[in-house]
Amino acid sequence: MTARTPASGGAPIIDADGIGRTFTRSEGPLFRRRRRTVTAVRDVSFQVTAGEIVGYLGPNGAGKSTTMKMLTGILSPSAGRLRVTGLEPSRQRTRLAARMGVVFGQRTTLWWDLPLRDSLALTRHMYRVPARDHARRLAELTELLELGPFLATPVRQLSLGQRMRGDLTAALLHDPALLVLDEPTIGLDVVSKSTIREFLLRLNAERGTTILLTTHDLGDVERLCRRVIVIDHGSLAFDGDLAALRDGAPSPRTLVVDLAAPSEPIEVPGARTVRVRGTRQWLELDGNPAAVIADVSHHYAIADLTLNEPDIEDVVARLYRREGAARELSAG
Amino acid sequence: MAERTSPGPAAGGRAAWEPAVLDRRPRSVTAYPRLAWAWTRALAQYPVSLAMLTFAQACTTAVELLAVVIVFGHAGRLGGFTLDEAMLFYGLTGTAFSTAHLLIGTVDRLGEHIRRGSLDTVLIRPVSPLVQIATEEFSPRRLGRTVPSAAALGYALSVLDIAWTPERVLMVPLLIGCGALICGSLWVTAASVQFLLTDARELVSSVTNGGWALTEYPLAIYGRDVVRAVTYLVPLAFVSWQPALYILDRPDPLGMPDWLRYASPAVAAAAVAVAALVWRTGLRHYRSTGS
């Protein structure tokens, strides 16, 4: 197993320098339309080095998809300079397409009525993968993503998780240096999510494939990304270690406790009861969840327990509140 | 996972990102037949539907053909042309348009792709989006229109009194090919309007199917202004009218220059160039608006 060697000179695989994108929207009734300029992405700069896994995060409408579209050459930037694998995406889209794999979680690139195997064979012709390489990679991916049982099934009959694994395979059969994923685990069950996460980690470790992904799932981010980039209202809000993001804006995990009988708000060290409804209580955790769970189950009769991870929106929202407060402080 | 097959970073530095591609033929050329065949197989999963749709298309064509027979059978001559000659016009138009329809007709769904966002999934692949959209739902059912048209053309060519010089033998397939290119270009040009107006599919259809219906009859019956428009503006006169005048060796009844009948290849080349330009401009517009 040979990891993909970074290109000589250490040139970044993605190099975004002050990229921006504005849209002109026409509004109002016909003949009295007003043109309004909307900024979707403003002056965003970042670099991704070959071999990294980077999470590209932000609330809905923050400019994530617009950035993804610019990186893949679907949309041309209206400002700044962008290079992906050394190419200018909007001008060299076709050449770039052969070097990168793209998966849209909400949309399939497979052929609806064709068996998965035939869909994958078609991508081989589009990407011009030699037959022997195709067969070898397909065998590997079939094993890793457990495609075997549904290779002969038409894509329209696949479950969401199966379809997602099929789409990932289609994006990887030409062995791209860069994999761009737009919400790859959206709508998937826990097992499918985990399969895909472990697969991506292995792909990155063994093939050196660079991965850039957008997601709303903090589980994805925690399992996969050492580095995260946060974008909000079109601007870059954070670029750095995941740990730094969480330390900077700590967000408590929530323990949902179903008691056997209604009771007073639970009182245990390391947790704060924030809500009570019937037998169900919500606790915000400050300390070690294992210790809190042990305490709660020792002192109370419990029917059920659920530990909720804060989602990335929550972390990001806290980041902004903190930034806003800091701005107010410095202004005052 | 096995070892990488592509070489490590070479002196140039970018080799690690560049896939090892040996085949230098344009991807679109090699991908078209593969995609078309895949869609044919996909649609063959519903054989009854395929058979019925093929039959329906053949019926549509047969009814149009019947209309030509009735009109000319009743009037004897129209615009100075007999029924057998009218079959030549019908056959030339039908063969050219149905070939274009078979190969590139689904491009009129462009607006739907834009609205659904599926144009984006097409744009991430290294094959021309035009080829990918044109092959979508490629189906032999559209041969249901080609076969009766070609039969009418064959019939006309065999019964008409044509001076079969070697030049004419060579020119007939060339003129048919140019006609198909002109029709295909018209389709792509009209469909590109949907880059601006995503729900303009009916408009596209009125141009393409309108052009098809118009040229099924000898253009002389429409009068001089219409013929001028379809000669110099939208070059539909080169689909059946000018080729038929050439095959029949008839002077232009409207007094237009005779050299026009030799202009088909140049007109076809110009039509293809215009279509390519309009399509590319539309795609650039899409990339700058994203809607």
Side-chain angles (χ1 to χ4, degrees):
Chain A
M1 282 180 235
T2 320
R4 192 185 300 275
T5 331
S8 62
I13 195 161
I14 299 175
D15 188 357
D17 184 9
I19 56 169
R21 178 70 242 184
T22 54
F23 295 108
T24 310
R25 296 264 178 262
S26 299
E27 288 178 344
L30 201 63
F31 305 120
R32 277 191 298 154
R33 289 197 162 194
R34 263 186 236 140
R35 302 193 131 231
R36 193 166 65 93
T37 305
V38 182
T39 305
V41 172
R42 183 188 297 119
D43 194 23
V44 166
S45 301
F46 65 91
Q47 295 189 334
V48 175
T49 309
E52 276 191 288
I53 306 185
V54 178
Y56 198 75
L57 315 175
N60 287 326
K64 292 193 303 281
S65 294
T66 305
T67 312
M68 290 295 141
K69 285 183 179 180
M70 289 194 281
L71 290 176
T72 48
I74 294 171
L75 206 60
S76 43
S78 44
R81 180 181 174 280
L82 180 63
R83 292 289 181 277
V84 179
T85 70
L87 300 175
E88 189 181 343
S90 62
R91 283 175 192 273
Q92 296 165 297
R93 180 178 52 77
T94 314
R95 265 183 87 192
L96 177 60
R99 299 179 179 190
M100 78 193 300
V102 184
V103 176
F104 297 113
Q106 320 232 39
R107 253 177 241 146
T108 184
T109 58
L110 302 168
W111 285 261
W112 209 236
D113 288 316
L114 289 186
L116 180 58
R117 187 193 300 278
D118 294 13
S119 252
L120 297 175
L122 263 183
T123 60
R124 165 172 111 71
H125 294 300
M126 285 207 266
Y127 288 91
R128 287 228 171 112
V129 180
R132 272 176 54 196
D133 292 353
H134 176 82
R136 200 192 63 237
R137 285 182 205 144
L138 181 59
E140 285 170 11
L141 292 162
T142 301
E143 196 196 319
L144 289 169
L145 289 167
E146 296 161 33
L147 307 176
F150 51 89
L151 267 178
T153 312
V155 172
R156 63 169 188 277
Q157 291 171 13
L158 298 182
S159 73
L160 190 58
Q162 292 172 332
R163 204 216 75 201
M164 199 58 229
R165 285 183 271 161
D167 262 310
L168 259 178
T169 306
L172 288 170
L173 280 170
H174 61 291
D175 193 24
L178 173 66
L179 181 62
V180 171
L181 306 164
D182 194 4
E183 308 207 11
T185 58
I186 193 163
L188 300 189
D189 61 62
V190 181
V191 179
S192 300
K193 275 184 186 177
S194 158
T195 309
I196 284 177
R197 286 172 194 159
E198 296 315 308
F199 169 76
L200 292 176
L201 279 176
R202 205 170 155 185
L203 181 77
N204 174 257
E206 294 180 6
R207 304 286 299 156
T209 306
T210 311
I211 300 173
L212 181 73
L213 76 155
T214 74
T215 182
H216 285 283
D217 190 316
L218 194 62
D220 286 349
V221 180
E222 290 197 319
R223 189 76 190 92
L224 295 172
C225 311
R226 269 146 287 176
R227 176 182 165 200
V228 292
I229 294 172
V230 179
I231 183 171
D232 188 63
H233 293 98
S235 299
L236 200 75
F238 179 87
D239 181 355
D241 279 359
L242 176 62
L245 175 67
R246 305 199 83 189
D247 293 349
S251 188
R253 285 184 272 201
T254 313
L255 186 68
V256 183
V257 184
D258 283 315
L259 297 166
S263 118
E264 292 294 295
I266 296 171
E267 279 180 45
V268 288
R272 195 161 54 88
T273 304
V274 291
R275 198 173 156 206
V276 179
R277 202 183 65 202
T279 55
R280 178 170 287 190
Q281 303 203 4
W282 282 261
L283 280 71
E284 269 189 15
L285 304 184
D286 304 322
N288 175 7
V292 174
I293 291 170
D295 266 356
V296 171
S297 47
H298 184 73
H299 296 293
Y300 298 86
I302 296 167
D304 198 6
L305 272 179
T306 324
L307 184 63
N308 286 342
E309 293 288 334
D311 63 5
I312 194 67
E313 263 74 88
D314 205 20
V315 176
V316 170
R318 278 164 192 266
L319 180 79
Y320 293 124
R321 253 176 270 148
R322 200 168 51 99
E323 273 197 350
R327 263 199 300 272
E328 273 168 35
L329 273 178
S330 62
Chain B
M1 280 182 235
E3 289 192 18
R4 294 163 44 71
T5 44
S6 51
R14 295 261 148 75
W17 292 334
E18 194 75 77
V21 176
L22 306 170
D23 198 340
R24 290 261 165 236
R25 286 174 296 168
R27 275 200 175 82
S28 303
V29 174
T30 51
Y32 190 101
R34 301 283 187 181
L35 288 167
W37 176 236
W39 275 109
T40 305
R41 269 188 315 173
L43 294 176
Q45 292 198 339
Y46 314 101
V48 176
S49 163
L50 180 65
M52 283 175 66
L53 286 166
T54 310
F55 183 69
Q57 300 244 310
C59 284
T60 310
T61 314
V63 167
E64 286 173 355
L65 196 54
L66 193 65
V68 174
V69 172
I70 290 170
V71 167
F72 279 84
H74 191 70
R77 273 172 178 268
L78 261 183
F81 294 93
T82 65
L83 173 60
D84 286 344
E85 287 165 343
M87 296 287 267
L88 179 62
F89 287 99
Y90 181 87
L92 284 169
T93 290
T95 307
F97 262 105
S98 65
T99 304
H101 182 232
L102 174 75
L103 295 179
I104 210 160
T106 41
V107 73
D108 65 7
R109 292 192 190 162
L110 176 67
E112 211 177 300
H113 284 286
I114 293 173
R115 284 199 309 273
R116 286 202 321 237
S118 46
L119 187 59
D120 290 352
T121 61
V122 162
L123 285 171
I124 60 160
R125 299 193 189 116
V127 171
S128 154
L130 183 59
V131 167
Q132 293 185 59
I133 294 175
T135 49
E136 193 190 61
E137 290 191 20
F138 182 93
S139 169
R141 71 162 182 258
R142 289 185 229 145
L143 288 171
R145 300 191 83 162
T146 312
V147 172
S149 305
L153 178 62
Y155 167 81
L157 289 177
S158 62
V159 297
L160 286 167
D161 186 19
I162 298 166
W164 284 109
T165 61
E167 181 201 278
R168 231 173 225 111
V169 172
L170 290 174
M171 279 291 275
V172 167
L174 178 70
L175 291 172
I176 294 171
C178 289
L181 278 177
I182 293 168
C183 296
S185 304
L186 178 70
W187 232 294
V188 173
T189 309
S192 299
V193 171
Q194 294 175 86
F195 280 117
L196 289 174
L197 303 165
T198 53
D199 37 15
R201 191 173 171 188
E202 299 303 315
L203 188 75
V204 177
S205 163
S206 71
V207 172
T208 52
N209 291 322
W212 191 334
L214 183 84
T215 51
E216 278 173 352
Y217 290 85
L219 291 181
I221 65 174
Y222 300 113
R224 187 183 296 266
D225 290 338
V226 173
V227 178
R228 281 223 173 107
V230 297
T231 303
Y232 299 115
L233 290 178
V234 185
L236 287 168
F238 297 91
V239 175
S240 63
W241 173 243
Q242 292 292 348
L245 291 179
Y246 169 79
I247 293 168
L248 297 170
D249 201 15
R250 293 264 287 261
D252 193 313
L254 299 169
M256 310 249 291
D258 278 352
W259 57 262
L260 278 174
R261 59 194 63 180
Y262 297 100
S264 274
V267 170
V272 169
V274 167
L277 184 72
V278 170
W279 174 264
R280 276 161 187 270
T281 308
L283 204 55
R284 199 173 312 126
H285 174 80
Y286 175 80
R287 290 221 302 263
S288 67
T289 56
S291 55

